[in-house]
Every structure is written in C-alpha cells, then in structure tokens.
Amino acid sequence: MPDRADRLPQRTTPYAASVWWLGVAGGSGESTMAALAQGSRPAEHAWPAPETPGTLNRVVLVARTNFAGLTAAQRAATEWASGVLGAGIQLEGLALIPDMPGRLPKELRDLAQVVSGGVPRTWSLPWVDSWRFAPVNHVDQHRGFAAMFKDLHLTSATH
C-alpha cells in the first residue's frame, strides 16, 4: 500500500453514478470524462465511497500520460489492490489521456504498460486537438472514447 501521504482521500457520497471518473492528479480529465458520459460523475480526486452499505460504486481512474500522471495512477492502483478501500468500490480500469499530441516516448510507453498491469483494464484515449479551442463535444467520432463507453455500458452525453 502507498504511504498515507501518497494515497487519495475517500469521500462518502450519497449520489449514484453509472461510473465515477477518479482523476489521480489535478488536470487528469475527470470532469471532461463526466461531461462526455451520461449519468457519470467526477470523483473530485477522491475515492467515492458509497454511503449506503451494500452499494457498489464503479470507478475508472483517469490519468494524463506524463510521468506525474502515470506514477499517480500507479499509486492509486496499488491502493485499490491493497484492499484498504473496502468492498464498495469496483475498479473498472484506467483511462489514459494524452498530455500532448503524438506518440509517447518509449520511457513513458514502458511506464504506462507497467501501470496497466495493475488494473483490470486500460483504455488509451486519443488526443483531441479541437478540445483545446472549443467546448468538449462529439465524442462519438473518436474511436477510443466510443470503445471505452461501449466496454463500460455508457451512453455519450454529446449526441
């Protein structure tokens, strides 16, 4: 288990969500993901512990593909795997969001592969240049997002 200082906080939530997007570091993209998928919510950088016993919250870790994002994802995956979070959180996987356009350098690809080995599933999402200049929309035209939403049984909020 990561050192206490390296763990994400837990926050009890009375809200339901089809999926909780847990940004493992600031700027990861959890609010963007929540805007794209109907019924999903950003976890605000904290494990969403269900308020009601017996409830299961589905969580997807969200990380940028830079060193800080990947190592934060590794710590979060290690925390989940340690069992300290309890039975109310079901980790669905890790969404890797590019920190810039283009191919990842070998060192970061290798680190992403190591981190991916610690989670049930990983989705490597595409860079969407238009989102730098305009509101987030049109997720259906981006294959990586559509495939992830299908895997998670989510509906796009941007039809």
Side-chain angles (χ1 to χ4, degrees), residues 3-109:
D3 185 83
R4 186 176 260 335
D6 291 330
R7 291 188 233 162
L8 293 170
Q10 283 191 44
R11 187 173 298 128
T12 303
T13 178
Y15 306 111
S18 53
V19 166
W20 290 89
W21 305 103
L22 175 50
V24 296
S28 295
E30 67 178 18
S31 60
T32 298
M33 299 306 300
L36 294 172
Q38 286 183 3
S40 69
R41 292 179 179 265
E44 299 175 359
H45 308 294
W47 293 103
E51 184 175 79
T52 307
T55 302
L56 187 65
N57 282 345
R58 298 171 60 215
V59 175
V60 174
L61 300 176
V62 182
R64 291 288 178 179
T65 56
N66 56 29
F67 181 80
L70 292 170
T71 55
Q74 187 173 36
R75 288 190 301 271
T78 302
E79 183 177 0
W80 165 76
S82 75
V84 72
L85 299 173
I89 295 175
Q90 177 179 318
L91 184 62
E92 297 288 338
L94 169 64
L96 294 175
I97 298 180
D99 63 318
M100 63 183 295
R103 186 172 163 95
L104 275 179
K106 181 181 181 338
E107 297 82 4
L108 292 175
R109 280 195 318 271

Side-chain angles (χ1 to χ4, degrees), residues 81-157:
S82 75
V84 72
L85 299 173
I89 295 175
Q90 177 179 318
L91 184 62
E92 297 288 338
L94 169 64
L96 294 175
I97 298 180
D99 63 318
M100 63 183 295
R103 186 172 163 95
L104 275 179
K106 181 181 181 338
E107 297 82 4
L108 292 175
R109 280 195 318 271
D110 291 348
L111 179 55
Q113 186 174 1
V114 168
V115 174
S116 294
V119 295
R121 181 169 206 150
T122 301
W123 298 274
S124 293
L125 301 172
W127 174 263
V128 183
D129 198 54
S130 63
W131 291 352
R132 296 179 75 200
F133 305 103
V136 174
N137 60 16
H138 305 296
V139 72
D140 292 329
Q141 68 184 330
H142 302 290
R143 246 181 276 150
F145 290 93
M148 180 179 63
F149 286 6
K150 182 178 178 186
D151 290 344
L152 294 168
H153 307 287
L154 297 174
T155 302
S156 172

